[in-house]
């Protein structure tokens, strides 16, 4: 505010953040269920909500809905609202029926929605009661994925944060990797760190309930995703120590992330180089090929997943793009500062959204590539803007060295397609 | 509470969105929390629309709850009006906003906007998407349509098509052509493509064509009563229904219902000898009531199928579907629970399913071919090519769509004849895109070598054996010789027959006794 305006700020970390309120074009936190249930193989996600919630999950999950997914919606009916039926009794009955049909379920998440939050249905209490009832086979937890409280990937944050207080206590010095990543990527991360002699390494969320990591004063953790603010706070509360680093996107991001952990564990320079040299070279080569079409092009991010800042850092520094605006639904300054510091000042950093105003800005700037949700992508394409739909960046393996080329490829494909099509 | 994974219909405000998105010059201000904008992508992705749905969401958040949300709503209304300058606004609440009781209608009324504002009352906890479309269109018609002088030439309104409708785009085109051939002009097509101003001209038509009762029956009845316009009762899907529809139009207008049938190929295709094998194919029909009714008639009268099960997910038309079931002596299933549908299909063990996207997946799971006849559908059923369901071209389209998943007559014959040949082995499946899932347990042999002889004592991947019934070796061997696409039925029938006779072992003779017993 009182900052002298004639001094050029060095990096985006010093840039003022444009905060906007208004109509938002984003998913709610319930959508996190779609990738979380794949990761946690003995968990079931039961949304307590309306037909809209069920319809949202169905629309967002696409064909996955037919694969007997481990999620569902307990749809509130008129009688639940009018108090004619005791909501807790109804919930107990549905849960009992569900658990008898799926005896393989070890963790049940009661996921709050807008309707359940507005009518103040106490799912916390329900979770405690149901845990007692179904102990020791099933643990029932609760978090909110409602749109009034959470945006898209925040659903994962809320879920993981709900698990932290229940994690067993340990005094061991262990490295905890936090965030749900595709198994193949997780294995790569663990492989690289193990090769440097770092261990034991645990992950949150674990694939199964009995593999849940312990946490305590000697735990050191690194976040794999920028949207895990609440989980971060819960882990700090348990005495664990955070390693802050740029997020592992691209060669540079992955190296910086690994380096921060290596330094914490006292890995010497030679070992670090020995382990990372080959995959770094591979990643640089793959990026340079995939980013051919991106060099010198401009990019505009609409808010979606909170991945925007680290991805913009990757695109500007490693793919030669110029960022016009980097919009994020929320900015956890404490988590994304290392990424912002790497990005030279220039782009508008915006938090929140007034979608019509933001569309006006995008239209005026006519970026070469617009990263946005599926509700905006086709309409913008029809206006002649090239778009990359953002949701894919959450579902596709994009972290760490071996995926760096694929990550650049996700952005360059629409640009190349635009150049190829002659109709 | 009711545990649900798949829903056939969205909430009612999605129905209102379908009306708003279908129309032009209308804007919908929806009081809804952040996240409800997910519905936009149904239109931009599945229907591949090139513009955003004309919907402004208030996107309230937790911190707004309390008195704030009413202001949010009014701001959103004002901004939507200023930005989009629509001819009319519709306003309403989604499921969450319904709980916070802000009364969008009342709030919008006090704002004094210079265009008509129509309030929608859509009970989210008791009704669904189709109610939403029907009610929204009815409220629009009630607010905007006025009695007026009829056009000089005979004209009709086509009512019912909406955004995200199964083949609505091409149905309108086909129907417009049919009416035009009879000498009937189209006055207004609504909601799809109409502006609020167009709706004020609805009264000029001589009658209404009620194309989809799910979406416009309430409006049709209202216009019949208030504007004196009769509406057609037959939905022209199928050859006979189309002819009946044209006769109905003839009766209303006094025009000759004869139209050019030279491009109608379905009846000859169905009569040609290659279609003989379709006779008595057992089909299960499920979807929205309108398409189910039409499909049942086509299946029985125009394809020569046997309908072994039918049902719909929209309760509004349960009575019609039950009546139809009674008429043809088949139990009708009224349910929006896909597990019940799956159970009914399993019990009926049809040779083909005509249904929605969901039944296609059920078909895949059960290994039964399926064709899609009704919403909800995914992106592939909003095709680029012309593919109506209505009228004569619709009949051609339906014939092709329904028989492609089936093994063609000649192919079926050849498969049976050469089933021992390695190229025609059971696991090869039909050459058309059928409903048969690959069977990974038995690897397909490559390199031109004949498959190794199968050991019939081993447990079989296609589950030939039964827990309670013992299949003797000769019977099992014989069962293997039956083409795979009817083998499941043969097995079930034989076991049922054996159980009825109190037998616990099945011999080759039992198999053929059962076959004779069930012969049609």
């Amino acid at each position: 505010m009182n900052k002298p305006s004639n001094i050029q700020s060095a990096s985006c970390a010093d840039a003022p953040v444009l905060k906007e309120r208004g109509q938002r074009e984003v998913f709610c936190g319930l959508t996190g269920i779609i990738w979380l249930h794949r990761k946690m193989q003995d968990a079931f996600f039961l949304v307590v909500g309306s037909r809209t919630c069920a319809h949202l999950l169905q629309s967002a999950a696409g064909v996955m809905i037919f694969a007997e997914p481990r999620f569902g919606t307990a749809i509130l009916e008129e009688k639940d609202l009018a108090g004619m039926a005791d909501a807790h009794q109804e919930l107990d009955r549905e849960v009992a029926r569900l658990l008898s049909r799926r005896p393989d379920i070890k963790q049940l998440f009661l996921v709050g929605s807008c309707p359940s939050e507005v009518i103040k249905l106490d799912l916390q209490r329900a979770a405690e009661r149901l845990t007692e009832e179904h102990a020791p086979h099933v643990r029932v937890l609760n978090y909110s994925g409602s749109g009034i409280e959470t945006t898209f990937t925040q659903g994962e944050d809320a879920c993981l944060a709900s698990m932290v207080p229940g994690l067993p206590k340990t005094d061991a010095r262990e490295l905890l990797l936090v965030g749900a990543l595709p198994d193949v990527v997780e294995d790569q991360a663990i492989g690289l760190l193990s090769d440097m002699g770092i261990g034991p390494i645990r992950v949150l969320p674990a694939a199964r309930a009995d593999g849940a990591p312990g946490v305590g004063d000697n735990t050191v953790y690194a976040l794999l995703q920028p949207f895990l603010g609440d989980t971060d706070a819960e882990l700090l509360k348990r005495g664990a120590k955070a390693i802050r680093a740029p997020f592992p996107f691209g060669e540079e991001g992955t190296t910086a992330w690994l380096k921060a952990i290596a330094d914490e564990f006292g890995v010497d320079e030679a070992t670090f180089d020995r382990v990372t040299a080959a995959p770094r070279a591979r990643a640089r080569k793959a990026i340079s090929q995939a980013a051919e079409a991106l060099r010198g092009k401009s990019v505009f991010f609409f808010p979606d997943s909170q991945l925007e800042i680290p991805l913009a850092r990757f695109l500007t520094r490693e793919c030669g793009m110029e960022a016009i605006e980097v919009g994020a639904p929320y900015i956890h300054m404490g988590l994304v500062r290392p990424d912002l510091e790497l990005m030279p000042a220039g782009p508008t950093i915006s938090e929140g959204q007034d979608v019509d105003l933001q569309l006006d800005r995008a239209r005026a700037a006519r970026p070469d590539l617009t990263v946005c949700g599926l509700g905006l992508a086709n309409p913008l394409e029809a206006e002649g803007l090239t778009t990359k739909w953002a949701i894919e960046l959450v579902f596709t393996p994009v972290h760490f060295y071996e995926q760096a080329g694929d990550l650049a490829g996700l952005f360059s494909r629409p640009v190349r397609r635009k150049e190829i099509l002659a109709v | 509470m009711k545990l649900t994974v798949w829903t056939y219909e969205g909430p009612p405000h999605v129905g209102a969105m379908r009306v708003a998105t279908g129309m032009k010059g209308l804007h919908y201000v929806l009081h809804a929390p952040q996240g409800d904008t997910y519905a936009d992508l149904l239109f931009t992705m599945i229907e591949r629309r090139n513009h955003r749905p004309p919907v402004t969401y208030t996107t309230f958040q937790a911190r707004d709850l309390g008195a704030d949300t009413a202001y949010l709503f009014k701001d959103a209304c004002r901004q939507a009006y200023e930005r989009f300058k629509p001819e009319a606004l519709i306003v309403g609440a989604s499921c969450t906003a319904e709980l916070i009781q802000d009364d969008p209608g009342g709030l919008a009324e006090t704002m004094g906007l210079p265009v008509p504002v129509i309030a929608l009352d859509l009970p989210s906890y008791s009704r669904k998407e189709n109610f939403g479309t029907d009610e929204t269109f009815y409220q629009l018609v009630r607010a905007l349509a006025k009695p007026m002088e009829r056009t000089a030439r005979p004209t009709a309104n086509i009512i019912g098509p909406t955004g995200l409708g199964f083949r609505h785009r091409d149905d309108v085109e086909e129907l417009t052509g049919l009416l035009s051939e009879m000498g009937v002009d189209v006055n207004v097509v609504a909601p799809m493509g109409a502006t609020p101003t167009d709706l004020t001209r609805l009264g000029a038509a001589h009658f209404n064509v009620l194309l989809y009762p799910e979406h416009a029956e309430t409006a049709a009845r209202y216009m019949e009563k208030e504007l004196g316009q009769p509406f057609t009762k037959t939905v022209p899907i199928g050859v006979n229904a189309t002819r009946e529809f044209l006769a109905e139009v003839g009766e209303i207008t006094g025009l000759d219902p004869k139209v050019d049938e030279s491009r109608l190929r379905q009846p000859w295709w169905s009569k040609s000898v290659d279609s003989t094998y379709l006779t008595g194919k057992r089909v299960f029909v499920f979807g929205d009531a309108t398409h189910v009714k039409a499909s049942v008639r086509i299946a029985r009268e125009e394809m020569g199928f046997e309908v072994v099960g039918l049902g719909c997910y929209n309760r509004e038309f349960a009575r019609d579907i039950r009546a139809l079931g009674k008429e043809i002596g088949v139990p009708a299933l009224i349910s929006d629970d896909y597990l019940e549908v799956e159970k009914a299909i399993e019990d009926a063990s049809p040779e083909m399913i005509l249904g929605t996207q969901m039944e296609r997946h059920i078909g895949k799971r059960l290994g039964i071919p399926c064709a899609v006849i009704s919403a909800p559908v995914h992106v592939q059923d909003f095709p680029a090519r012309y593919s109506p369901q209505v009228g004569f071209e619709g009949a051609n389209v339906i014939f092709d769509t329904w028989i492609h998943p089936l093994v063609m007559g000649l192919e079926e014959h050849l498969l049976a004849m050469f089933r021992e040949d390695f190229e025609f082995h059971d696991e090869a499946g039909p050459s058309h895109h059928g409903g048969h899932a690959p069977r990974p347990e038995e690897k397909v042999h490559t390199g031109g070598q004949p498959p190794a002889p199968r050991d019939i004592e081993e447990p079989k991947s296609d589950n030939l054996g039964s827990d309670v019934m013992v299949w003797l070796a000769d019977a099992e061997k014989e069962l293997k010789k039956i083409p795979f696409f009817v083998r499941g039925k043969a097995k079930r029938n034989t076991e049922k027959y054996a159980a009825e006779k109190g037998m616990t072992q099945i011999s080759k003779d039992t198999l053929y006794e059962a076959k004779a017993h069930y012969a049609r």
Side-chain angles (χ1 to χ4, degrees):
Chain A
M1 270 171 283
N2 291 325
K3 205 170 153 137
S5 57
N6 57 343
I7 296 177
Q8 270 274 288
S9 27
S11 79
C12 283
D14 309 310
V17 173
L18 171 66
K19 296 199 180 194
E20 273 190 315
R21 282 193 68 180
Q23 193 192 169
R24 290 181 149 217
E25 183 85 21
V26 288
F27 279 134
C28 64
L30 294 181
T31 31
I33 290 170
I34 291 157
W35 65 87
L36 281 171
H37 91 279
R38 301 307 311 156
K39 187 72 197 169
M40 297 156 75
Q41 292 165 13
D42 55 4
F44 192 100
F45 293 80
L46 180 63
V47 177
V48 181
S50 64
R51 176 168 300 281
T52 311
C53 306
H55 196 235
L56 159 93
L57 284 175
Q58 170 173 324
S59 310
V63 292
M64 244 194 242
I65 203 94
F66 302 105
E68 296 214 21
R70 280 172 285 104
F71 60 80
T73 309
I75 294 185
L76 293 163
E77 293 167 321
E78 203 123 64
K79 60 179 195 285
D80 298 307
L81 302 174
M84 290 186 294
D86 184 334
H88 285 279
Q89 273 174 19
E90 291 275 304
L91 189 59
D92 291 1
R93 192 198 59 213
E94 285 300 330
V95 166
R97 187 185 295 167
L98 170 69
L99 292 177
S100 69
R101 214 167 51 196
R102 301 291 302 261
D104 51 324
I105 300 304
K106 297 278 177 277
Q107 310 177 73
L108 176 68
F109 288 93
L110 302 178
V111 188
S113 67
C114 301
S116 74
E117 296 295 328
V118 167
I119 63 171
K120 306 223 181 302
L121 190 58
D122 190 351
L123 294 180
Q124 178 72 42
R125 198 159 61 91
E128 284 162 17
R129 188 183 61 239
L130 287 163
T131 294
E132 268 173 44
E133 200 169 309
H134 297 282
H137 307 292
V138 187
R139 216 168 138 236
V140 185
L141 292 104
N142 141 263
Y143 73 89
S144 173
S146 75
I148 57 178
E149 293 158 301
T150 58
T151 305
F152 195 28
T153 47
Q154 267 184 302
E156 175 176 333
D157 187 25
C159 173
L160 300 192
S162 79
M163 297 169 76
V164 174
L167 293 178
K169 186 167 169 46
T170 176
D171 289 326
R173 178 164 163 86
E174 292 179 335
L175 174 65
L176 181 60
L177 303 182
V178 187
L181 286 192
D183 293 343
V184 53
V185 185
E186 198 176 281
D187 292 346
Q188 288 171 15
I190 293 171
L192 286 163
L193 292 165
S194 305
D195 288 350
M196 294 179 208
I198 297 170
I201 300 170
R202 313 292 301 272
V203 290
L204 180 73
R208 314 197 74 86
D210 54 18
V215 65
D217 290 341
N218 293 319
T219 304
V220 184
Y221 68 92
L223 301 180
L224 291 159
Q225 302 278 26
F227 46 72
L228 298 171
D230 288 353
T231 310
D232 183 69
E234 289 292 334
L235 285 165
L236 291 174
K237 248 192 250 173
R238 296 279 312 256
K241 181 186 172 193
I243 298 173
R244 301 287 182 228
F247 287 93
F249 297 108
E251 182 269 317
E252 203 182 27
T254 305
T255 304
W257 186 87
L258 289 169
K259 189 82 181 82
I261 298 172
D263 288 349
E264 167 69 27
F265 282 84
V267 175
D268 62 72
E269 205 70 32
T271 307
F272 186 81
D273 288 342
R274 175 176 56 76
V275 173
T276 57
R280 283 181 78 170
R282 276 203 298 275
R284 272 198 299 267
K285 188 171 170 219
I287 294 170
S288 79
Q289 281 168 358
E292 199 73 49
L294 297 176
R295 258 178 274 286
K297 301 259 170 38
S298 60
V299 61
F300 191 110
F301 278 89
F302 279 74
D304 192 57
S305 61
Q306 301 184 51
L307 296 176
E308 296 84 3
I309 288 173
L311 289 176
R313 186 260 302 150
F314 164 70
L315 290 176
T316 51
R317 289 179 60 102
E318 296 184 56
C319 301
M321 294 192 88
E322 181 206 349
I324 296 171
E325 175 164 338
V326 183
Y330 286 99
I331 298 180
H332 286 287
M333 209 34 108
L335 305 189
V336 293
R337 181 172 288 278
D339 282 290
L340 282 169
E341 277 168 353
L342 287 175
M343 231 188 327
T348 304
I349 308 290
S350 64
E351 182 181 20
Q353 187 177 36
D354 184 326
V355 69
D356 284 315
L357 297 182
Q358 199 167 28
L359 281 167
D360 288 346
R361 291 201 295 277
R363 286 176 183 128
R366 303 227 30 109
D368 296 312
L369 184 64
T370 305
V371 184
C372 61
L374 286 173
L376 298 176
N378 268 336
L380 287 176
E381 289 280 351
E383 292 179 25
L385 293 178
T386 304
T387 61
K388 165 73 211 109
W389 51 282
I391 302 149
E392 196 176 9
L393 300 161
V394 175
F395 287 102
T396 314
V398 293
H399 292 66
F400 294 99
Y401 292 129
E402 313 303 344
Q403 284 68 240
D406 303 341
L407 178 58
L410 285 179
F411 292 99
S412 64
R413 194 173 302 125
V415 176
R416 282 195 294 123
R417 183 167 183 79
K418 176 118 172 173
E419 283 158 10
I420 292 166
L421 288 186
V423 284
Chain B
M1 277 179 219
K2 191 175 184 319
L3 183 63
T4 310
V5 175
W6 168 268
T7 60
Y8 283 96
E9 291 180 71
H13 73 258
V14 169
M17 282 183 74
R18 291 178 57 179
V19 171
T21 308
M23 286 180 66
K24 293 185 171 74
L26 179 74
H27 202 84
Y28 184 17
V29 180
L30 180 61
H31 203 16
Q34 161 176 281
D36 276 6
T37 50
Y38 81 87
D40 282 2
L41 68 87
L42 303 174
F43 299 92
T44 59
M45 298 307 293
I46 295 180
E47 207 180 5
R48 256 187 259 254
R49 289 203 174 240
N50 60 4
H51 58 88
R52 294 175 65 208
V55 184
T56 295
Y57 304 81
T58 57
T59 53
F60 56 83
Q61 291 173 270
R63 59 185 175 203
D64 303 319
L65 290 178
D68 256 342
T69 54
Y71 289 106
L72 269 181
F73 178 80
K74 285 168 109 173
D75 282 350
C77 257
R78 193 171 14 251
Q79 281 167 14
Y81 174 73
E82 279 162 14
R83 180 173 281 268
F84 300 104
K85 292 275 168 7
E87 294 170 21
L89 274 178
I90 50 177
V91 299
S94 80
C95 52
T96 307
E98 192 182 329
L99 298 172
I100 59 177
Q101 300 179 330
D102 273 338
D103 183 22
L107 288 170
E109 213 167 86
T110 60
M111 294 178 61
L113 293 172
V115 292
V117 176
I118 297 137
L120 301 175
D121 187 17
L122 303 173
S124 315
Y125 296 91
S126 53
R127 310 307 294 262
K128 288 179 263 181
E129 183 175 328
N130 284 343
F131 172 83
T133 54
D134 186 74
E135 173 68 11
T136 304
F137 184 53
Y138 163 63
Q139 292 298 343
L140 280 164
V141 167
R142 213 174 67 120
L144 300 172
K146 301 280 174 290
M148 61 201 298
E149 200 180 320
R150 301 276 192 254
T151 52
R153 280 172 53 87
T155 52
N157 301 314
I158 298 177
I159 59 171
T162 66
L164 215 61
F166 176 65
R167 308 293 165 87
H168 288 193
R169 178 195 69 195
D170 297 340
D171 281 355
V172 167
E173 186 168 337
E174 187 66 19
L175 186 55
T176 305
L178 274 179
L179 291 170
S180 157
E181 279 181 57
M182 257 187 80
V184 176
D185 291 343
V186 172
N187 181 50
V188 174
V189 178
M192 194 158 79
T195 62
T197 309
D198 290 335
L199 296 190
T200 63
R201 296 189 293 107
L202 280 169
H206 294 230
F207 69 105
N208 284 316
V209 174
L210 176 57
L211 186 48
Y212 308 111
E214 271 83 358
H215 308 312
E217 183 158 344
T218 311
R221 292 192 188 284
Y222 172 83
M223 289 192 270
E224 182 177 52
K225 198 162 150 245
E226 298 297 322
L227 310 179
Q229 293 165 321
F231 65 90
T232 54
K233 308 295 188 293
T234 313
V235 177
I237 298 176
V239 178
N240 290 340
T242 300
R243 287 178 182 146
E244 204 173 296
F245 167 81
L246 292 171
E248 210 181 322
V249 172
E251 238 166 70
I252 293 171
T253 57
L255 295 166
D256 180 7
K258 283 267 175 299
V259 304
D260 177 21
E261 290 194 8
S262 61
R263 66 204 166 86
L264 173 62
R265 287 175 286 272
Q266 191 277 345
W268 165 242
W269 252 243
S270 198
K271 279 173 190 155
S272 74
V273 291
D274 194 56
S275 298
T276 314
Y277 78 106
L278 297 172
T279 314
K281 279 263 183 222
R282 307 168 75 253
V283 297
F284 189 99
V285 191
F286 195 85
D288 70 36
T290 296
H291 286 91
V292 165
K293 266 193 275 186
S295 298
V296 166
R297 183 167 184 192
I298 297 168
R300 302 178 72 215
E301 297 174 6
E302 298 166 24
M303 302 292 278
F305 292 161
E306 181 192 352
V307 174
V308 294
L310 64 95
C312 72
Y313 56 78
N314 48 339
R315 270 172 208 286
E316 288 86 348
F317 293 82
R319 191 178 301 172
D320 293 17
I321 293 299
R322 284 209 182 92
L324 176 60
K326 203 162 190 184
E327 187 189 316
I328 65 170
V330 171
L333 174 69
I334 314 298
S335 174
D336 60 357
D337 182 346
Y338 73 96
L339 292 173
E340 266 181 61
V341 179
E342 187 172 69
K343 177 81 176 50
I345 290 175
E346 256 181 308
D347 291 348
S349 60
E351 290 161 273
M352 185 185 195
I353 308 168
L354 303 170
T356 72
Q357 170 83 351
M358 192 54 198
E359 282 67 46
R360 198 163 58 183
H361 286 269
I362 293 173
K364 230 183 245 173
R365 193 174 298 160
L366 300 176
I368 303 171
C370 177
V372 170
I373 58 157
S374 156
V377 291
H378 205 44
V379 62
Q380 65 268 47
D381 274 302
F382 286 92
R385 67 179 185 279
Y386 184 59
S387 37
Q389 300 287 292
V390 150
F392 296 144
E393 186 56 24
N396 296 337
V397 167
I398 287 171
F399 182 85
D400 286 347
T401 310
W402 289 15
I403 66 158
H404 279 180
L406 297 168
V407 184
M408 304 296 287
L410 191 58
E411 193 181 14
E412 182 168 320
H413 178 66
L414 291 174
L415 271 173
M417 250 175 89
F418 301 119
R419 66 176 171 265
E420 301 298 337
D421 285 21
F422 70 94
E423 282 161 329
F424 289 98
H425 64 89
D426 290 356
E427 282 70 30
S431 61
H432 286 77
H433 42 92
H436 296 272
R439 297 162 200 222
E441 293 92 335
E442 285 183 294
K443 290 272 179 289
V444 174
H445 284 258
T446 50
Q449 286 204 340
R454 297 192 198 98
D455 186 352
I456 51 165
E457 306 304 333
E458 275 178 10
K460 293 299 178 294
S461 60
D462 47 359
N463 203 14
L464 284 181
S466 165
D467 294 342
V468 285
M469 208 59 79
V470 176
W471 283 73
L472 299 174
D474 67 326
E476 187 138 8
K477 197 170 177 182
E478 202 66 17
L479 183 63
K480 262 286 188 189
K481 293 178 187 168
I482 297 171
F484 63 90
F485 35 81
V486 288
R487 193 185 302 148
K489 195 174 78 177
K491 175 177 173 271
R492 275 192 299 276
N493 282 351
T494 308
E495 288 183 354
K496 196 169 150 202
Y497 174 81
E500 278 166 11
K501 298 277 170 207
M503 299 151 92
T504 52
Q505 290 194 330
I506 292 170
S507 66
K508 190 170 161 181
D509 284 341
T510 323
L511 179 67
Y512 284 111
E513 278 161 23
K515 185 174 191 291
H517 179 77
Y518 287 106
R520 308 193 286 267

